[in-house]
Amino acid sequence: MTWWRDAVVYQIYPRSFRDSNGDGIGDLDGVRQQLPYLSWLGVDALWLSPVYPSPMRDFGYDVSDYIGIDPVFGTLEDFDELVREAHELGLRVILDWVPNHTSSDHPWFVDSRSSRTSDHRDWYVWRDAKPDGALPNNWIRAWSDEPAWTWDDATEQYYLHCFLPSQPDLDWSNVEVRQAMHQTMRFWLDRGVDGLRMDVIHLLGKDLDADDPADLRALSHVPLNDVPVTHDYVRAIRSVLDGYEGERVSVGEVYLIDPDRVAQYYGDGDELHLSFNFAPLFTPWRADAWAAVIARTMDSLEPRGAWPTWVLCNHDNARIATRLHGDVAAVRSALVLLLTLRGTPFLYAGEELGLEDAVIAPERVVDPGGRDGCRAPIPWTASPDHGWSGEPWLPFVERASELSVDSQLVDEGSMLHFTRTVLDLRRRSTALRSGALEGLHVEGEVLVFDRVGDDGRLRVMVNFSADGEVTTPHELPLLSSRADHQSGILRAREAIVFEVLNDRASVTH
Ligand code: NOJ
């Protein structure tokens, strides 16, 4: 049963979603309370960003205990209850799993750094300085121009960290590490989670002898690391998942940007079920650019029977509404595109409200990677506290009252209702959920493609132009992104979906 092919996955950044206890930080009980909202919206699965115990230097992506829940989010019982209630509502739960690195507070690393002969020394990547005193290689850590190596005075070696110095990389070439990490997967799979989102999974294997090319070093080492042995590790991870009933899904964060390289991580159907495809996040809002990225993605994945994913927003990047400079019409058309492409779409909490990033004053900055803006708390109500009884950990977006869930619920024309409408159309259409994607092309500034299933042929047309409109032969689209849709016209920044009853339907200028 490939439920994950049909699903729309909703990403929750738990700190920012819903606070149930007034400490200004979202928590598991907050998520649980909002399950009916998510069910009403019409998504199929939730992906929870990390909720494990953590010193929160990277807000949970620095795990100090893989088999617990950080008290700020609640308890294991809260987690179990959340999964139970989600399942009751037909919602699947995908948990974030962070296998490449731990927190430096994790007992494994505390032991590892305690002496060169400690039990866990070789669970992490320790290296001597080169004979001339130089660093082991030229890798740069994320979010900086600093080395990915930190010198440890006590044991006089460097340790590797592709992210913060407080996020030491595990050494996956060590079988004990692999076994221990498989155990952490089992802990959650046994508790009934439906899958795991796998943080920077392409980083697991490393060739420490390979310096990064000088002209690409500024990218940090993360998007450059891609070595064959990682595929062995991923196959073993897949076997753990395959040992469970109910098709537990793996969604890999393969942060390599190039769709051809990302496709390799699907293996021959024996590695990842799904992999994020980030190229669209960095694709300018132009019909030709989108046609190219869609074609490239399909060409890379389809020959190996791999199923694509689509994402416009997440907790690491500026939101689509910010990237589109608050152009609401364009944002609505982008949502139509996201939800009509062939593949599994990921919707980031707040995207259904059309949220832009919050403006973060210098004194409110908390993230070492500069990503606070897209992590602003969800505004639930129009009242000044927006449903957060304590001062939230990050400021709200501008116009939070107007954009709040409550305000949008009472406005049938809102982004929230529109998102629900598009999700509903997708759910009712086999063509949109699983049909082939055909006829991808660009006419002027209009992107056109068909989705073809047993239940018919749907045509999607997205007008990327900010001022040009075109005429179309159709009368009644199943859906338009604009409330002021005019029969027979595709307006500026409008996206429509209509049924093709004969082959004559095409755009004319
Ligand atoms: C990718 C995650 O999405 C990001 O939030 C995190 O900081 C890094 N991996 C390190 O875990």
Side-chain angles (χ1 to χ4, degrees), residues 380-397:
W380 291 96
T381 63
S383 57
D385 69 6
H386 303 306
W388 291 68
S389 49
E391 171 72 9
W393 71 294
L394 282 174
F396 291 105
V397 297

Side-chain angles (χ1 to χ4, degrees), residues 155-279:
T155 56
E156 298 192 311
Q157 277 190 314
Y158 284 105
Y159 68 87
L160 177 69
H161 51 86
C162 289
F163 293 91
L164 300 175
S166 56
Q167 292 170 295
D169 283 43
L170 284 161
D171 186 349
W172 272 73
S173 70
N174 181 340
V175 65
E176 286 181 316
V177 168
R178 299 201 294 274
Q179 284 167 352
M181 290 308 291
H182 291 173
Q183 276 310 110
T184 66
M185 295 173 70
R186 291 195 183 95
F187 180 85
W188 297 102
L189 294 165
D190 287 341
R191 294 190 106 80
V193 304
D194 301 285
L196 298 168
R197 178 265 185 190
M198 304 185 167
D199 194 66
V200 288
I201 194 82
H202 67 292
L203 272 184
L204 299 187
K206 291 170 181 101
D207 180 359
L208 297 167
D209 295 330
D211 275 340
D212 286 333
D215 56 330
L216 295 177
R217 269 180 81 218
L219 289 175
S220 99
H221 181 66
V222 177
L224 303 173
N225 192 82
D226 182 18
V227 301
V229 71
T230 303
H231 297 279
D232 297 341
Y233 303 152
V234 176
R235 270 190 292 275
I237 287 166
R238 173 63 179 266
S239 306
V240 175
L241 291 166
D242 285 350
Y244 285 80
E245 302 266 296
E247 191 123 5
R248 312 294 176 96
V249 71
S250 48
V251 188
E253 187 198 24
V254 180
Y255 198 82
L256 290 172
I257 318 302
D258 172 357
D260 284 338
R261 292 163 79 205
V262 171
Q264 310 289 325
Y265 287 80
Y266 286 79
D268 293 322
D270 55 354
E271 296 189 36
L272 298 171
H273 297 91
L274 294 174
S275 173
F276 284 119
N277 167 34
F278 289 125

Side-chain angles (χ1 to χ4, degrees), residues 58 61 101 143 163 197 199-200 253 315-316 371 375:
D58 187 14
Y61 285 95
H101 45 268
W143 317 311
F163 293 91
R197 178 265 185 190
D199 194 66
V200 288
E253 187 198 24
H315 65 295
D316 289 333
R371 300 159 296 181
R375 300 173 177 181

Side-chain angles (χ1 to χ4, degrees), residues 393-450:
W393 71 294
L394 282 174
F396 291 105
V397 297
E398 283 172 7
R399 299 188 301 120
S401 294
E402 193 187 316
L403 293 170
S404 69
V405 172
D406 280 2
S407 300
Q408 297 205 33
L409 276 174
V410 293
D411 172 8
E412 290 283 331
S414 66
M415 179 76 181
L416 177 57
H417 279 281
F418 180 62
T419 306
R420 184 168 184 250
T421 301
V422 188
L423 287 167
D424 181 57
L425 176 67
R426 182 185 165 92
R427 188 171 36 262
R428 288 187 287 108
S429 162
T430 311
L432 287 182
R433 285 199 324 274
S434 56
L437 189 150
E438 294 180 0
L440 175 71
H441 69 284
V442 169
E443 299 184 25
E445 292 184 71
V446 180
L447 176 74
V448 187
F449 59 88
D450 289 356

Side-chain angles (χ1 to χ4, degrees), residues 78-380:
D78 296 335
F79 180 82
D80 289 342
E81 188 53 23
L82 166 60
V83 173
R84 202 185 60 73
E85 289 189 26
H87 284 170
E88 247 172 44
L89 290 169
L91 294 165
R92 313 255 181 179
V93 180
I94 296 173
L95 203 57
D96 219 308
W97 182 60
V98 190
N100 176 67
H101 45 268
T102 69
S103 160
S104 51
D105 289 6
H106 195 294
W108 297 340
F109 189 70
V110 172
D111 183 52
S112 184
R113 79 184 324 175
S114 68
S115 89
R116 285 200 184 200
T117 54
S118 70
D119 285 351
H120 294 88
R121 183 66 175 183
D122 56 358
W123 283 42
Y124 292 84
V125 185
W126 292 97
R127 287 294 179 276
D128 291 329
K130 285 191 174 161
D132 63 356
L135 293 160
N137 62 30
N138 76 349
W139 297 359
I140 296 290
R141 75 161 175 90
W143 317 311
S144 77
D145 52 9
E146 286 162 18
W149 298 94
T150 289
W151 180 253
D152 182 61
D153 272 339
T155 56
E156 298 192 311
Q157 277 190 314
Y158 284 105
Y159 68 87
L160 177 69
H161 51 86
C162 289
F163 293 91
L164 300 175
S166 56
Q167 292 170 295
D169 283 43
L170 284 161
D171 186 349
W172 272 73
S173 70
N174 181 340
V175 65
E176 286 181 316
V177 168
R178 299 201 294 274
Q179 284 167 352
M181 290 308 291
H182 291 173
Q183 276 310 110
T184 66
M185 295 173 70
R186 291 195 183 95
F187 180 85
W188 297 102
L189 294 165
D190 287 341
R191 294 190 106 80
V193 304
D194 301 285
L196 298 168
R197 178 265 185 190
M198 304 185 167
D199 194 66
V200 288
I201 194 82
H202 67 292
L203 272 184
L204 299 187
K206 291 170 181 101
D207 180 359
L208 297 167
D209 295 330
D211 275 340
D212 286 333
D215 56 330
L216 295 177
R217 269 180 81 218
L219 289 175
S220 99
H221 181 66
V222 177
L224 303 173
N225 192 82
D226 182 18
V227 301
V229 71
T230 303
H231 297 279
D232 297 341
Y233 303 152
V234 176
R235 270 190 292 275
I237 287 166
R238 173 63 179 266
S239 306
V240 175
L241 291 166
D242 285 350
Y244 285 80
E245 302 266 296
E247 191 123 5
R248 312 294 176 96
V249 71
S250 48
V251 188
E253 187 198 24
V254 180
Y255 198 82
L256 290 172
I257 318 302
D258 172 357
D260 284 338
R261 292 163 79 205
V262 171
Q264 310 289 325
Y265 287 80
Y266 286 79
D268 293 322
D270 55 354
E271 296 189 36
L272 298 171
H273 297 91
L274 294 174
S275 173
F276 284 119
N277 167 34
F278 289 125
L281 275 175
F282 308 113
T283 300
W285 193 243
R286 285 198 332 258
D288 59 340
W290 270 85
V293 81
I294 294 166
R296 191 126 180 261
T297 301
M298 303 312 284
D299 290 350
S300 306
L301 298 184
E302 297 273 323
R304 50 172 75 229
W307 188 246
T309 64
W310 300 100
V311 51
L312 294 178
C313 298
N314 63 26
H315 65 295
D316 289 333
N317 292 282
R319 287 182 178 272
I320 182 77
T322 296
R323 305 204 302 276
L324 293 177
H325 311 292
D327 180 335
V328 177
V331 172
R332 288 167 76 113
S333 65
L335 183 83
V336 174
L337 181 59
L338 173 72
L339 296 177
T340 55
L341 285 168
R342 176 172 155 88
T344 299
F346 286 73
L347 202 61
Y348 176 46
E351 203 170 341
E352 78 276 23
L353 304 173
L355 294 190
E356 290 184 44
D357 289 2
V359 177
I360 310 289
E363 68 278 9
R364 294 294 302 265
V365 168
V366 289
D367 176 43
R371 300 159 296 181
D372 293 321
C374 62
R375 300 173 177 181
I378 300 295
W380 291 96

